Amino acid sequence: MDIDAIKSKLATLQSTSNTKDNFWKPEPGKQVVRVVPYKHNKDNPFIELFFHYNLGNNKTYLSPLSFGRPDPVAEFADKLKSTGNKDEWIQGKRLEPKMRTFAPVVVRGKESEGVKFWGVGKTVYQELLGVIADPDYGDITDAINGRDISVERITPAEAGNQYGKTTIRVKPNQTPITEDAKLLKNIFDNQSNLTELYTEPTYDELKEALHNYLNPSDEN
């Protein structure tokens, strides 16, 4: 028996089962988080990834465009949008990958749980970048003089739409991430690499997923 292979498989399964622990989603109501410097890219804490959410089977696919690699679904979407046909343009827009931006955060009151990734849409992302670009605020991730973010989540029923609504307010007071040196070191050192938490499909795998989406009877 290959003990090393068994250990490797065990580590993979454990990593998979714990993947959800690496992410944070705001619950209905108000919470406070702090965006922290990203260990794997100290120049920019925001990680932009592209996903396909609507290829059927309720499965989400990470688009290779996230890493500058070809994506057959995106290529097909571009062809549809270039035909001049309105319906095909709409279908192309539906098929093109959607950007989701992630930021490493610690949740106030749960700092001991370590760094988690908070996925935000375009509106919240732009607002965060706007605050950072404002000279009155600057680097909100600074370990000593950064700023916390109040996050309010409204349910779909309350917002009157399908997705709900998330609003943020960057607090004016400058505060440290933590005054516990040991905890701060843990926050800086023990961060997952976000791109390793997702499996990038191959070109052929995405091509097959697109084929099955366009020809559901073939999949059966």
Side-chain angles (χ1 to χ4, degrees):
M1 180 179 290
D2 188 340
I3 300 299
D4 289 336
I6 296 296
K7 290 180 178 179
S8 176
K9 182 63 176 177
L10 176 61
T12 299
L13 291 173
Q14 290 174 333
S15 175
T16 302
S17 64
N18 292 330
T19 295
K20 65 179 181 180
D21 295 333
N22 289 290
F23 294 89
W24 177 76
K25 291 179 64 175
E27 298 176 355
K30 292 183 179 180
Q31 299 110 88
V32 178
V33 298
R34 175 66 163 266
V35 178
V36 300
Y38 185 38
K39 173 183 177 181
H40 304 282
N41 184 2
K42 296 180 180 178
D43 293 331
N44 186 356
F46 300 106
I47 309 104
E48 298 176 359
L49 297 178
F50 291 84
F51 296 91
H52 292 290
Y53 296 106
N54 53 356
L55 283 181
N57 298 325
N58 295 318
K59 184 175 181 180
T60 297
Y61 294 88
L62 175 66
S63 170
L65 286 183
S66 303
F67 312 105
R69 291 188 273 273
D71 178 341
V73 182
E75 292 169 356
F76 183 67
D78 288 340
K79 287 182 180 179
L80 289 175
K81 291 187 294 181
S82 66
T83 63
N85 180 286
K86 181 180 178 180
D87 291 336
E88 291 186 351
W89 184 89
I90 293 173
Q91 177 69 354
K93 289 296 291 182
R94 288 174 179 168
L95 281 172
E96 65 183 12
K98 306 301 186 290
M99 186 177 78
R100 189 75 173 167
T101 303
F102 295 85
V105 300
V106 290
V107 182
R108 286 307 190 196
K110 300 180 180 180
E111 289 88 349
S112 61
E113 294 183 5
V115 174
K116 301 179 184 296
F117 292 103
W118 173 30
V120 301
K122 181 179 179 181
T123 301
V124 172
Y125 183 34
Q126 286 183 323
E127 190 170 350
L128 287 171
L129 292 181
V131 170
I132 294 172
D134 186 336
D136 288 337
Y137 282 85
D139 185 5
I140 62 174
T141 74
D142 187 86
I144 305 299
N145 299 310
R147 303 169 197 262
D148 289 351
I149 303 169
S150 177
V151 182
E152 183 173 6
R153 177 67 182 167
I154 300 175
T155 65
E158 294 171 325
N161 60 36
Q162 182 180 355
Y163 305 104
K165 184 178 180 180
T166 299
T167 56
I168 65 167
R169 183 178 70 87
V170 178
K171 295 193 173 186
N173 292 341
Q174 295 175 297
T175 57
I177 294 175
T178 177
E179 295 181 353
D180 185 328
K182 185 176 179 180
L183 179 57
L184 184 63
K185 186 176 187 305
N186 179 63
I187 289 172
F188 281 152
D189 293 346
N190 297 320
Q191 296 184 19
S192 299
N193 186 334
L194 177 64
T195 58
E196 294 179 356
L197 300 179
Y198 290 101
T199 300
E200 180 188 353
T202 65
Y203 190 91
D204 288 340
E205 287 172 341
L206 274 179
K207 195 172 181 180
E208 180 180 3
L210 175 62
H211 174 82
N212 291 336
Y213 171 77
L214 298 174
N215 306 277
S217 59
D218 291 356
E219 187 177 11
N220 293 334

